[in-house]
Amino acid sequence: ILAIIAILIVLTPVFASKNMVIEDITPVGMNRHLRITLSKEGKIFSGMLFSVSPEEFWLNVGDEVDVAFNLETNEFLGNISLMINIRDICESGRSLQIENQNEAMYQEAKDGVSKLSYEYIVPEREDCAIVYNCLSTKARCGQDIYTYTKLTSDLNQSSQGSCFNYVKVKFIIKIFRELNVISIDEIDERSFSFKLIYGKAKTNLDKSNILKRLRYIYKK
């Protein structure tokens, strides 16, 4: 019997779908597994990722991903639905390409050789306030890890009249870290963790050496 089960597992077809978007991440089974809602071309799919806790999961809502999966049927209260059993999930090749391009633009701006405009690179006080409020809201909801790409996307979806880009957002986080406006720990070059600092006096952003340098290099 065990041999038959092993053969069936091996013969189970594995499918792949590229450029899907994570719509929701829900812990199940006492946080031992994840139910992940995915979308593609207007269609919604529910998938299970087993033996991965929320703390171990490395992706966020809104990320574009490539997924390898098996198809299974799920029956609940007499209703039968198709469920995705996720075998592997990773950031999509298209997303990685965009992230690579954004990181390259940031490095050029940091090195002082960017051809981008002052407005694209140098943050204003209002920009910093919007980012701070966004992080404060997320912290109150229990979120403490962000990628610069996801933060940029969230800011553009929630802010009215403001337009954010990867380069400016990353500089704002660097300024927050420099001035200890928010406790920032860099995970890698594209993501960070953060904690609010309560009771801190209002910070003068003009004291930031990062901001002074950007204003000097890219002055209008």
Side-chain angles (χ1 to χ4, degrees), residues 125 128 171-184 197 200-212:
R125 175 171 294 276
C128 295
F171 276 127
I172 291 173
I173 296 302
K174 297 293 185 180
I175 291 169
F176 284 174
R177 185 170 188 258
E178 176 194 19
L179 298 178
N180 203 31
V181 174
I182 295 176
S183 178
I184 303 290
I197 302 175
K200 184 177 176 62
K202 189 173 181 179
T203 302
N204 183 1
L205 295 177
D206 292 334
K207 292 182 178 180
S208 166
N209 290 324
I210 295 173
L211 189 55
K212 289 177 184 177

Side-chain angles (χ1 to χ4, degrees), residues 81-198:
S81 59
L82 194 62
M83 185 186 75
I84 293 175
N85 181 9
I86 298 173
R87 302 292 296 273
D88 194 12
I89 183 169
C90 64
E91 196 170 9
S92 74
R94 185 165 64 186
S95 289
L96 287 173
Q97 183 179 13
I98 294 172
E99 279 200 359
N100 288 337
Q101 292 171 348
N102 286 334
E103 184 61 25
M105 286 193 294
Y106 167 77
Q107 291 298 332
E108 287 183 352
K110 180 182 176 183
D111 294 340
V113 296
S114 176
K115 302 299 183 182
L116 298 171
S117 68
Y118 178 98
E119 289 77 13
Y120 193 93
I121 295 173
V122 184
E124 301 292 343
R125 175 171 294 276
E126 181 183 353
D127 299 323
C128 295
I130 292 173
V131 174
Y132 181 89
N133 290 335
C134 177
L135 293 180
S136 297
T137 300
K138 296 299 181 182
R140 288 193 294 270
C141 296
Q143 180 175 337
D144 62 358
I145 295 177
Y146 246 130
T147 65
Y148 295 108
T149 298
K150 182 62 169 57
L151 177 56
T152 303
S153 174
D154 285 354
L155 288 166
N156 285 324
Q157 289 180 17
S158 61
S159 60
Q160 297 180 352
S162 299
C163 184
F164 287 89
N165 62 75
Y166 182 102
V167 175
K168 182 182 288 187
V169 166
K170 188 162 184 177
F171 276 127
I172 291 173
I173 296 302
K174 297 293 185 180
I175 291 169
F176 284 174
R177 185 170 188 258
E178 176 194 19
L179 298 178
N180 203 31
V181 174
I182 295 176
S183 178
I184 303 290
D185 287 322
E186 296 177 327
I187 298 173
D188 53 40
E189 65 180 10
R190 302 181 189 190
S191 60
F192 63 94
S193 63
F194 64 95
K195 292 182 180 178
L196 298 183
I197 302 175
Y198 296 99

